[in-house]
Amino acid sequence: MKRILSTTRGRVAASIAAVLALLLLAYGMPTLALAGEVPPSTDAGGVDIGGLSPEAARARLEEEFGRPGPLKVEVAGRTVTMKPKDLGVTLDAGTTVARAMDGHTTPAGIARSLFGTRTVPPVVEVDDELLGERIAALAKRVDRKPQEGAIAYRGLEPKVTLPKAGRALDRKEAARAIREAFLARRDEVTLPVRTTPPSVPAAKVKEIAGSTARTAVAAPLTLSAGDRRATLSPAQLAAHLRFVPDGRGDMRPSFDAAELVDGLRDTLVEEDRRPRNAAFRIAGGRPRVVPHRAGRDIDPDGLAKAVAAALTGGERAVRVPIVEAQPDLTTAKARRLGVKEKVGSYTTQHPCCAPRVTNIHRIAEIVDGHLVLPGQTFSLNGLVGRRDRARGFVEAPMIMNGRFVNDVGGGVSQFATTMFNAVFFGGFQDVQHTPHQFYISRYPAGRESTVSFPQPDFRWRNDSPYGVLIKTSYTNTSITVQFWSTKRWDIESESSGRYNVKDFRKMKDSGPDCLPMEGVPGFAIDVWRIFKKGGKVVRKQRFHTVYQPEPRLTCTART
């Protein structure tokens, strides 16, 4: 009996051993076969790397993901071509292969390798900072802020500028789209752009234009400062008023008071209480600073806010804010301007007592004492304005359309010529000067300028770091312009001979407004302004002038 049991146990043990041997053989053989290789039927982002060594799998992935080449990025109708690596997007082939081989020698891994497929997402490295920079650069070329609506006026009629939507690159979605395009091995991608609406819709802008904006300029606005009163007419209101978005989906009035303050100051602020700029006077042959005076003045920003608040509240009266104020040019600023010596001066002569002399004297009086700050451009027309009888100008001859005619302010070109030469010898920048059409013998040839209103103007720029004080003086037969500042240059003038000389023609006219012309040949001439410092030439500037022949015009009496 014991022998039978022993035999049976032996057979069972042998059977178990055989089964274990078969299992070990079934597991061991694939394990040995798959050792060191990517499992069969392994897919990484659509690339079959099954059965390859890790090195070969990495090479295949790098080849396949590099095959599409540069990525065409389309956004808002624009296309740019960029390499994925320049976008900060690259494939980590080594990590991808390592993940494909992870656990492939376990029983479950062996079974999956023998009887199924294996899908491994590619591992993509993204340099978020670099990708963000590239997308931001694209956004600069694409993004367009919404154009907000506005209401201005043409006369008293509201003029509407309708709003327009903007657009913006969706940066977060753009990064996602670029990454997905890389994973899918596509060679192009379209980035999403979203619409950005204006803060106030067009319907609302039109509504305000038809109601609130019309009411705002329907009547005058009364301004008060203490017991003084002034009025802003509807036209003045409209000229400086706009309606703009308020940031809360509505529109508010915006009033620009800066240009109105000068006109209101005379009415609303006593003269002896206003600030006064520092000034200069010549004493003992030297410029002296006349100290400034502080005072009280209209606050432009405060007035703008007060007017806007009144219009918002439907009121027609505004209290004007008057504040303590310093003048634009204080004593300290004036002393730092370097106005200390004469740097340019010129005098021209003229016959006594003609009407044109009155005009020359009048324009000299207006310009006398004017200060041109560093970097400023002086405009003769901008300072003097239109010459008219109300300010003492009279009719005198001037050149117009090739003939002498009488006009109010005629003759002031002699002042422009005198100032041009002060600019010339002071070493300042010529911005705009226009020589006369005909040569006039009392002026230096090629070194003179005409002027009329509004054009041609005479302009020059103070290109020095110092202030320039203009002083004028005159006699019955001369006009002088002086510049006081800090000397920078020694200036000399050289002229060519006259060339391309053209003779004049002879004419007759019996008209009642005929003014005779003596006849002067035309010619061309070159003048050089020579800048010297310490006796050495620093540079030269050429002025080329062409004069037309002045006809000899004889005025004949009508028969």
Side-chain angles (χ1 to χ4, degrees):
M1 186 68 177
K2 288 182 180 179
R3 181 178 296 174
I4 294 172
L5 290 172
S6 175
T7 302
T8 300
R9 289 173 181 172
R11 289 175 180 173
V12 171
S15 297
I16 292 172
V19 169
L20 290 174
L22 287 173
L23 290 173
L24 288 172
L25 183 63
Y27 174 69
M29 291 295 290
T31 300
L32 291 173
L34 295 174
E37 293 181 355
V38 178
S41 301
T42 297
D43 177 279
V47 179
D48 184 6
I49 58 173
L52 299 177
S53 67
E55 294 77 10
R58 284 196 297 270
R60 177 173 291 182
L61 285 172
E62 289 169 352
E63 178 185 2
E64 291 297 326
F65 275 87
R67 188 182 302 279
L71 185 64
K72 292 180 181 178
V73 180
E74 192 275 332
V75 54
R78 301 184 179 192
T79 301
V80 294
T81 301
M82 308 178 75
K83 294 180 180 179
K85 67 178 181 179
D86 293 336
L87 290 164
V89 181
T90 55
L91 175 72
D92 187 346
T95 302
T96 302
V97 172
R99 288 188 178 181
M101 298 181 68
D102 185 32
H104 77 291
T105 56
T106 64
I110 293 295
R112 187 166 56 246
S113 297
L114 292 175
F115 306 110
T117 59
R118 187 180 183 89
T119 300
V120 180
V123 178
V124 176
E125 287 189 345
V126 179
D127 184 335
D128 292 326
E129 184 177 353
L130 178 57
L131 181 58
E133 289 176 357
R134 296 293 185 265
I135 291 175
L138 289 172
K140 284 185 179 180
R141 301 169 63 178
V142 171
D143 289 1
R144 184 182 300 152
K145 290 183 179 180
Q147 179 180 311
E148 297 290 351
I151 303 170
Y153 292 87
R154 182 181 288 118
L156 297 180
E157 186 67 21
K159 179 184 176 183
V160 175
T161 299
L162 290 176
K164 293 181 181 179
R167 68 187 183 195
L169 176 63
D170 190 326
R171 301 190 185 193
K172 182 178 180 180
E173 287 300 308
R176 182 187 61 77
I178 289 172
R179 185 177 183 279
E180 289 182 353
F182 178 76
L183 280 172
R185 292 178 293 147
R186 296 198 303 269
D187 60 1
E188 59 183 29
V189 62
T190 300
L191 304 186
V193 175
R194 53 186 172 82
T195 298
T196 53
S199 62
V200 183
K204 184 69 173 178
V205 176
K206 291 179 180 178
E207 176 190 336
I208 293 170
S211 55
T212 308
R214 290 185 182 278
T215 303
V217 297
L221 202 64
T222 300
L223 308 180
S224 63
D227 59 354
R228 291 175 171 256
R229 299 288 184 272
T231 300
L232 288 182
S233 68
Q236 287 176 306
L237 282 170
H240 301 277
L241 179 64
R242 288 167 51 87
F243 281 80
V244 297
D246 65 357
R248 299 186 299 274
D250 208 338
M251 302 192 80
R252 61 174 178 81
S254 174
F255 188 72
D256 184 359
E259 293 183 6
L260 293 171
V261 167
D262 287 344
L264 294 171
R265 183 180 292 116
D266 291 343
T267 305
L268 296 175
V269 184
E270 298 92 331
E271 184 175 2
D272 60 357
R273 299 185 66 190
R274 301 174 203 159
R276 184 181 65 197
N277 280 325
F280 292 88
R281 61 184 177 87
I282 306 299
R286 294 181 57 192
R288 308 285 184 181
V289 175
V290 178
H292 79 271
R293 181 185 69 196
R296 295 181 61 77
D297 202 358
I298 298 170
D299 175 13
D301 292 337
L303 176 58
K305 292 177 182 177
V307 171
L311 296 177
T312 299
E315 300 174 2
R316 307 310 297 183
V318 172
R319 293 185 63 83
V320 177
I322 304 296
V323 296
E324 297 292 330
Q326 294 288 336
D328 294 331
L329 183 64
T330 64
T331 305
K333 288 180 181 178
R335 287 174 175 159
R336 292 195 297 266
L337 286 175
V339 178
K340 63 181 183 180
E341 58 190 329
K342 191 187 301 182
V343 299
S345 179
Y346 203 76
T347 300
T348 60
Q349 309 294 324
H350 55 71
C352 173
C353 310
R356 64 188 303 274
V357 176
T358 299
N359 295 329
I360 294 169
H361 292 179
R362 187 69 193 100
I363 197 170
E365 291 166 353
I366 294 173
V367 175
D368 184 45
H370 186 74
L371 182 67
V372 183
L373 297 176
Q376 280 189 341
T377 295
F378 173 89
S379 164
L380 189 57
N381 280 341
L383 176 63
V384 178
R386 183 182 297 277
R387 275 64 85 181
D388 53 32
R389 289 185 176 86
R391 291 186 299 158
F393 291 97
V394 299
E395 277 196 355
M398 64 178 292
I399 300 172
M400 182 179 294
N401 299 323
R403 298 281 293 269
F404 285 142
V405 298
N406 280 316
D407 193 23
V408 174
V412 295
S413 289
Q414 178 147 358
F415 182 85
T417 289
T418 310
M419 179 177 276
F420 172 78
N421 279 274
V423 170
F424 186 99
F425 288 104
F428 299 103
Q429 180 184 348
D430 173 46
V431 175
Q432 179 188 1
H433 87 278
T434 306
H436 285 82
Q437 183 180 2
F438 309 133
Y439 172 62
I440 301 174
S441 60
R442 60 178 169 266
Y443 304 147
R447 224 174 58 217
E448 48 85 17
S449 180
T450 187
V451 69
S452 188
F453 190 89
Q455 289 293 337
D457 194 3
F458 171 58
R459 297 185 298 144
W460 59 275
R461 180 174 177 268
N462 177 10
D463 56 345
S464 79
Y466 313 105
V468 178
L469 174 67
I470 305 172
K471 292 299 293 179
T472 68
S473 60
Y474 53 79
T475 69
N476 288 335
T477 58
S478 68
I479 174 69
T480 299
V481 175
Q482 296 177 344
F483 287 169
W484 296 78
S485 185
T486 294
K487 190 175 181 64
R488 297 178 298 156
W489 308 104
D490 293 314
I491 301 293
E492 293 181 1
S493 177
E494 288 184 1
S495 299
S496 70
R498 301 179 184 186
Y499 59 95
N500 292 341
V501 178
K502 298 179 181 179
D503 200 6
F504 57 83
R505 59 195 177 104
K506 299 177 181 179
M507 302 168 55
K508 292 183 178 181
D509 189 352
S510 60
D513 297 325
C514 178
L515 295 176
M517 303 171 73
E518 62 183 19
V520 178
F523 60 90
I525 190 170
D526 296 314
V527 174
W528 285 269
R529 177 162 60 162
I530 304 171
F531 293 78
K532 287 185 173 183
K533 182 168 286 188
K536 295 182 178 180
V537 175
V538 177
R539 62 187 175 96
K540 293 184 177 182
Q541 182 182 15
R542 174 176 173 258
F543 294 84
H544 175 69
T545 305
V546 176
Y547 293 106
Q548 299 300 318
E550 175 190 321
R552 176 174 291 170
L553 177 63
T554 302
C555 299
T556 59
R558 286 186 175 181
T559 58

